[in-house]
Amino acid sequence: MAKADLVVCCTTAREPLFDGALVAPGATVVAVGSHEPDARETDSTLVARSEVYVEARAAALREAGDLLVPTAEGAIDEDHVVGNIADLVTGRRTPTTDRPRFFKSVGMAWEDLAVAGALYAAALAES
């Protein structure tokens, strides 16, 4: 885990899958599985030390147990979420390299399709 650049979780886990303290600064963790308020794939340690991105703030703060289960310092609030996936894709946000980047999906597949379409269009424009 400490040497991974990318960790992708796509499970129905109810409890964290790994120790978030082991994730290296600069690594990206994507959690697209469990998205219920009381289920999570990642622990509070990872979320608290990460730069957090979501699909949509309102949905994530309503549904994502990864964000809703309190840390030792308390619950993650809206201010801890630094951006959404659109911010990354459009370049409005440049991710940090000094701490992990964490993206939490809550199953908004229409956004996945829009991102895939934009990436495809960009690749065609480059060729």
Side-chain angles (χ1 to χ4, degrees):
M1 186 70 59
K3 294 183 180 187
D5 292 326
L6 177 64
V7 178
V8 179
C9 307
C10 187
T11 72
T12 58
R14 308 297 296 169
E15 299 292 328
L17 301 169
F18 54 88
D19 181 352
L22 300 176
V23 177
T28 299
V29 178
V30 178
V32 299
S34 302
H35 51 85
E36 298 170 28
D38 60 347
R40 59 190 183 151
E41 296 176 296
T42 61
D43 65 10
S44 298
T45 299
L46 175 68
V47 175
R49 63 186 281 259
S50 294
E51 184 174 68
V52 177
Y53 294 89
V54 296
E55 287 167 300
R57 287 175 193 264
L61 294 171
R62 182 179 59 244
E63 300 174 26
D66 296 82
L67 305 179
L68 297 174
V69 176
T71 67
E73 296 81 29
I76 297 299
D77 62 17
E78 185 174 348
D79 293 336
H80 192 79
V81 177
V82 300
N84 60 40
I85 194 73
D87 294 327
L88 291 173
V89 171
T90 61
R92 289 187 303 248
R93 269 300 295 179
T94 301
T96 186
T97 58
D98 63 343
R99 59 187 182 142
R101 293 171 300 273
F102 176 61
F103 171 68
K104 178 58 188 169
S105 169
V106 291
M108 299 177 72
W110 64 270
E111 286 194 350
D112 298 338
L113 181 59
V115 169
L119 292 172
Y120 180 73
L124 285 179
E126 289 181 6
S127 59

